[in-house]
């Protein structure tokens, strides 16, 4: 679904002009996140935002999840590509009956 602002994160930033909006956790399976019986959730969280302190905080939050890490993926304008990739992951998950995520290598 297209959003006039370019992404849902950018739309949130437009609606909340006095807030530091960060886009993150798009690529994590909700099923994996709520399953507390799993010791880890292997994958990375791509974090986008214009306020570097806020993105650092969200990266640190992601790093508190066992097996996860936050990876800074650029300014909030990059949220369009990050959010769009989620649609591809949903297709992969349906096809393979999986809960696929993202891992950024060599970082």
């Amino acid at each position: 679904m297209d959003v006039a602002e370019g992404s849902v994160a950018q739309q949130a930033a437009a609606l909340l002009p006095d807030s530091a909006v960060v886009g993150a956790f798009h690529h994590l399976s909700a099923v994996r996140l709520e399953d507390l019986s799993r010791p880890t959730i292997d994958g990375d969280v791509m974090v986008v935002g214009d306020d570097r302190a806020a993105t650092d905080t969200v990266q640190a939050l992601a790093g508190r999840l066992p097996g996860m890490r936050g990876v800074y993926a650029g300014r909030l304008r990059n949220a369009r590509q990050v959010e769009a990739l989620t649609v591809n992951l949903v297709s992969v998950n349906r096809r393979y009956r999986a809960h696929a995520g993202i891992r950024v290598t060599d970082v």
Side-chain angles (χ1 to χ4, degrees):
M1 177 178 215
D2 289 327
V3 178
E5 292 81 0
S7 70
V8 174
Q10 288 172 293
Q11 185 178 56
L15 292 170
L16 304 163
D18 296 327
S19 300
V21 174
V22 176
F25 295 93
H26 297 95
H27 303 112
L28 296 181
S29 163
V31 172
R32 294 276 193 238
L33 279 173
E34 70 183 3
D35 183 359
L36 300 178
S37 69
R38 296 180 60 88
T40 64
I41 305 171
D42 293 322
D44 291 330
V45 175
M46 296 176 72
V47 180
V48 295
D50 294 336
D51 182 313
R52 195 56 193 257
T55 59
D56 288 348
T57 298
V58 174
Q59 284 180 260
L61 175 64
R64 294 190 55 135
L65 297 170
M68 299 292 308
R69 67 183 175 153
V71 177
Y72 179 71
R75 312 250 331 159
L76 194 63
R77 66 178 172 255
N78 293 350
R80 176 186 299 217
Q81 291 81 17
V82 173
E83 291 175 15
L85 182 56
T86 303
V87 176
N88 299 104
L89 283 174
V90 169
S91 295
V92 167
N93 290 336
R94 284 183 180 158
R95 166 90 175 164
Y96 295 99
R97 299 180 198 272
H99 300 285
I102 298 292
R103 173 69 74 191
V104 179
T105 60
D106 202 28
V107 176

